[in-house]
Structure formats: structure tokens, C-alpha cells
Amino acid sequence: MSSTAVQAREVTLWRNAVVVAYAASGLAFASWVSRLPAIRDGLNLTPGTVGLLLLCMTAGSFLSVSVSGLIVLRLGSRRTIQTGSLMVGCGLVLAGFGTSVLSSPAAVAAGLAVVGLGTASWNTASNVEGAAVERAMGRHIMPRLHGSFSLGTVAGAGLGAWAAGVGVPVLWHLAAAGLVVAGSVTTAARWFRADVTPVERTAPYRPDNFEDPSTGPIPVIRAGNDGGESPLDNKRKIAQAWRDRRTLLLGVMVLGLALAEGAAGDWVALALADGHHQSDAAGAAGYGLFVTFMTIGRFAGTVVLDRFGRVPVMRWCSATAVVGLALFVFAPAPWLAYAALAVWGLGASLGFPVGMSAAADDPAKAAARVSVVSTIGYGAFLCGPPLLGLLAEHVGILHSLLAVMAVLVASFLLSPVARKLP
């Protein structure tokens, strides 16, 4: 077998391994989200106390994501992803045990906090690994990698709806999901290459001669890989990224669409159950519908981005998410609420992948900037939904979702920052 064929096979295995990491993250997230009505009922929680429960996971996630850039630069993306997946698996088991055996909100909160600690750095590292394999393949794949996350959420939501419908205890459901997540990711991670193998290229990188409009190469994190110059200290790299105006604006753009996605994840099932008077199983199925259309949007994203470019697509996504949210909140009949979830899902689909690709435009600063945009985006994804729970105490779950629309307007206005660097 020629060296070119061997390299192509290695890149294919690398891509497939990254797909597994994204899909497993989606499966983990949807597994506990789809059982949130059962957790709420088992612990006799109000919307406000559900919000506080989610806030425990958010605290763990925000702590993790705020230092995720340093963690990835120190440990490498492979070890970060492996460690994160093991933590998520253990957290799911603890959350299930706290619900089904202990009936303890404190135990469930502790489990979700562990899930948050593992998930945030894992997802940041996955974006770094995904941007690296995207460059190695020389074409758009980031939307489809995030589409793999969505496929995982579709599978998790479907299994969650089935488990709720047949009465599977939360413990057995979340324990099985945790085992699958931890086992699949730790096995797949042996094919990751971003930490150990530089991307080979025949000419120096220049944005105007590279065929892929989405991202630049991710350099290996080691001394001397940037042409012989000593690399900046890791903390200084992160500090510089936080001071970069375009990176911060990209983060705010992603923030609105991430909040639209996160709000759906945490509150759609409960909003359908309480606001539109559907059963717990129907609520879980509604979340499955949302992530199904978000998945469709992400797999179609490659074609759409190639044809129209980042800026028009980001404007379309923001506007579509606003329409879907408004329809969901004010739907006079359940069937229209389900249709609105499809529109909402399409609108929320491309915020994260486009934001990650745009952050990686400058190859020398890609890892640090991806971590910053990830931190802002995941901060909104994780912090926003618990705050919506507190707002829901006063205006109801459905009307609390209207707050997301204001942030989506900011995403619409900031769409031009996604334009490729000259």
C-alpha cells in the first residue's frame, strides 16, 4: 500500500473517531434531557427548582469550559476527550441513582455537576480535533461533525421517549447510556491525531489559495511547530484570544444560536407537557423532532455554506430560529407547536459549527480562539436554560422562551463577523 493510501486511510479513521466523539456527546446530553420530566416527577420539583437543578450542572460546565483552553493545551485533545467521557458516564449513573433509588435532588444535582464538568472540556477538545481533521481532509466537514452530535441527540431522545413510554427506571436508562458513551469514546480516541501529527501541506497556508473556506490548520501543540519560533506560553495564548475583537464578536454571535439550542434541549419536553398539555413521552418525542430537524440542517449545511457563504447562512439561521420560537410559544394547537419545533431546529442548526470554523481561520491562533468561542457559546448553552427556569416561575415555561428571541436578534446583527479573514 502506498504512503498516500496509508495516509488517506489514517485520516479516514481519524474522521470516523471524531464522529464517534461528537455523536456520543449528543447521546449523553439527550439521554438525561429526555428523562427530565420523569426526574421532575420523581423528585416533585417545580419549574424553579428544576432550574436550580440545572444550575448545578451549569456550574460544573462553566467551571470546566472557562479553563478548557488551558486543559486542551496542557493535556491535548485526546486525553481531554477521554477523561471527559468517563466523567460524563459516571455522572449519568449518579443522576439515575439519585432519582430512582435515593429520591434525592442533591444526589441528582451532584451527578449533573459531574456531567457538566466532563462535557464542557470534552466538547471544546472535540471542536479543536474536528477543525484539525477538517483541514487534513481539505473540505467542509465541521457542520457534519456537529450533525453527528445531533444524530446522537436524535438517538438519545428516541431511546428516552421509548424508555419513558414503557416505564424504564431512570437509573437503568442513564446507566446504560453512560456505559455506551464512556466505552465508545475511550476506544475511538486512539485514532485521534491532532496532538501528535502535523497536517502536511505542500505550500504555506494562505487563505486565498486554500480551497476550503471554513478553517485553517490546527498546529500541533509543541515547541517549534510554528516554523522554529518559540511558541507563546499557553496562558498568554488564551489571554490574547480573549482580547481579540473578532473572536469575542464571533462568541456573541454563537451565543444567541447556542441559547436557542440549549433552551430547546432543557425546556421543550417540559414546555410541551405543561404548556401544551402533552404527555411526558410526547414531550420527549417533541425534543426528538427538534433535534431531527437540527440534524437535517447540519448535514445540509455543507452544501448551503458552499453555495451562499457564512454571512447569509447565519442571517437565515437567526431569523428562522426567531420564527420557530414565536410559533412554538403562541401555537393555538399542539400540531402547530410540533411544526414550530422543526422550524426552530433548522434555525439553530449551524450556529456552533460555523462559529468554530470561523474562529479557526487563522491557523497559528486557531486552538486558543476555538476555545474562547466555545467558552462563550457553551456558556450560553449551559447558563441560559437554568435562568429561563427562574423566569418561568413568574411568566410560565412557554413565555420564558421569548427571552431567547432578543439574543437571537444580536446574532442576526453580528452575522458579518463570520466572514472569512482576508
Side-chain angles (χ1 to χ4, degrees), residues 250-340:
L250 278 171
V252 177
M253 183 198 75
V254 172
L255 183 152
L257 291 160
L259 180 57
E261 180 181 348
D266 286 347
W267 290 110
V268 156
L270 290 176
L272 284 169
D274 295 353
H276 291 291
H277 312 294
Q278 302 297 292
S279 67
D280 286 355
Y287 174 64
L289 178 66
F290 171 87
V291 293
T292 296
F293 277 84
M294 190 167 65
T295 303
I296 292 170
R298 284 178 170 169
F299 278 97
T302 297
V303 176
V304 174
L305 285 166
D306 285 341
R307 180 169 182 180
F308 299 106
R310 293 175 185 166
V311 176
V313 170
M314 285 298 90
R315 285 174 174 157
W316 178 87
C317 285
S318 301
T320 303
V322 167
V323 171
L325 260 168
L327 282 175
F328 181 77
V329 171
F330 297 111
W335 70 266
L336 187 56
Y338 283 98

Side-chain angles (χ1 to χ4, degrees), residues 179-267:
L179 181 63
V180 170
V181 166
S184 62
V185 174
T186 53
T187 301
R190 64 195 230 182
W191 284 290
F192 292 169
R193 290 179 55 190
D195 299 329
V196 297
T197 306
V199 176
E200 299 293 338
R201 53 185 191 273
T202 58
Y205 169 76
R206 295 194 304 272
D208 59 352
N209 73 352
F210 183 61
E211 62 182 3
D212 175 19
S214 68
T215 185
I218 305 298
V220 181
I221 308 300
R222 61 177 179 233
N225 80 301
D226 55 353
E229 299 178 5
S230 296
L232 292 170
D233 174 79
N234 289 345
K235 292 183 179 179
R236 192 176 167 201
K237 287 181 179 179
I238 300 297
Q240 284 188 339
W242 276 105
R243 290 194 297 267
D244 180 73
R245 181 176 179 272
R246 177 177 181 266
T247 301
L248 293 177
L249 291 177
L250 278 171
V252 177
M253 183 198 75
V254 172
L255 183 152
L257 291 160
L259 180 57
E261 180 181 348
D266 286 347
W267 290 110

Side-chain angles (χ1 to χ4, degrees), residues 373-386:
V373 176
S374 293
T375 298
I376 297 172
Y378 286 120
F381 183 87
L382 297 165
C383 295

Side-chain angles (χ1 to χ4, degrees), residues 22 63-84 117-132 192-196 218-222 233-235 237-238 356 365-372 374-375 378:
Y22 274 87
L63 175 64
S64 179
V65 79
S66 64
V67 296
S68 60
L70 293 174
I71 292 173
V72 173
L73 289 170
R74 179 66 181 270
L75 299 181
S77 56
R78 174 189 293 178
R79 289 176 61 191
T80 301
I81 292 170
Q82 287 177 317
T83 303
L117 283 169
T119 299
S121 291
W122 168 9
N123 287 339
T124 297
S126 293
N127 285 320
V128 172
E129 196 78 34
F192 292 169
R193 290 179 55 190
D195 299 329
V196 297
I218 305 298
V220 181
I221 308 300
R222 61 177 179 233
D233 174 79
N234 289 345
K235 292 183 179 179
K237 287 181 179 179
I238 300 297
M356 297 308 110
K365 301 174 181 177
R369 289 180 175 177
V370 165
S371 74
V372 169
S374 293
T375 298
Y378 286 120

